[in-house]
Amino acid sequence: MPVPENVFFALAAAASWGGGDFSGGMGVKAAGGTSAGALRLVIVAHATSLTVLTILCVVSGATWPHGAAVVWALAAGAAAGISLTAFYISLSRGAMGVSAAVSGVLAAAIPAIVSMVTEGTPGILRLGGFAVALAAIWLIAAGDSPENAVGDKAESRKTMGLAILGGLGFGFYFVALRMSNGLGVMEPIALARSASLVMCILLLAMVSWRSKPRAPQKPASWLTRAAIGWALGVALLDTGGNLLLIAATRLGRLDVAAVLSSLYSAVTILLAAWQLHERPTRRQLAGMVAAMVAVVMITV
C-alpha cells in the first residue's frame, strides 16, 4: 500500500518545525529569557518571514485575497503570535523535551478532534491514541526534570502552563490554516504572519509599559546578535514548516497532517538531548515515548 503524499509533506513540516522550535528556545535564552525578549525574537522572525513571503507573492502575481478564508488566516496568525511566544519562553527555561512533547500532543489532538467532526469518526485505534495522549501529558507534567530542579514548583508549573498554552494555540493554528486553504499556498501564511506581527508588537508594548523602570537607565540593545541569528533560523525553518503543512492539508485529511507534523516535538527533543544534554526523569521519558506513540496511533 503506497504511503499518501501528505504523509511526506507532514513529516517534512515536523522536521522543519522541530529545528525552528529549538532555534526559538535558544534565541529566547540569548535574549535574556524574558517575555520581552521572546516577543522581540518572534517579531524579528516574523517580520523577516513576512518580507520574504510578500516579495514572493508579488513576483508570482498573487491576487489580493478576500472572504472568510482571510479571517481564518488572520485568526491563525494572532494565535500563532501568542502561542509561539509562550512556547519559546517555556523552551528557554529548560527541559526543552518536556515542553515540546506536551505542546506536540495538544497540537495533534485538537485538529484530530475537529477532523473527527468534519471528516468522519476515526477508528478504535485513533480513539485509543487520544487516551494515550492524555496519559502522556499527565506523565510529563507529573514530575520535574533535572533541568527544572533549580527553582520552586510554582515556577515549574508556570513553565508547563506556557507549554500547554503553546500547544493549544498550535492546535487552533492547524485548524485555522486548513480553513484558509482556498487562498493558495503562500497567501495564508503571509496573512498569518502579518497578524502575528501586529499581535506581538502590541504585546511587547504592553509588557514594556508594565515593566518600565521608575528611574532612567542606560538603554540596552533591542536584541543581541546571537538572538538575531537564532531569530533568522526561526524565520527560515518555521516558515518552511508552515508551507509544508499547507501542502499536506491540501493532499489529505487534517488529522493526519496535523498529528504527523506534530512530531516536531521529537526533533526538538533530539536536538535538546544532543546540544544541551537534557536528562529527563524516567517518568517524563515514559511520557515522551507515550506522546510519540499517541501521535502514531492517531495517524494510523
Side-chain angles (χ1 to χ4, degrees), residues 141-161:
D144 296 329
S145 71
E147 286 75 16
N148 279 343
V150 178
D152 54 24
K153 290 186 177 181
E155 191 65 24
S156 296
R157 285 196 295 270
K158 288 180 182 178
T159 301
M160 185 57 59

Side-chain angles (χ1 to χ4, degrees), residues 97 100-105 108 129 132-133 136 140 259-260 262-270 285-299:
V102 169
S103 66
V105 170
V132 174
I140 294 167
V259 294
L260 278 179
S262 292
L263 281 168
Y264 66 79
S265 57
V267 178
T268 308
I269 289 169
L270 292 174
L285 184 59
M288 292 178 198
V289 172
M292 298 303 104
V293 172
V295 170
V296 174
M297 291 176 67
I298 295 170
T299 303

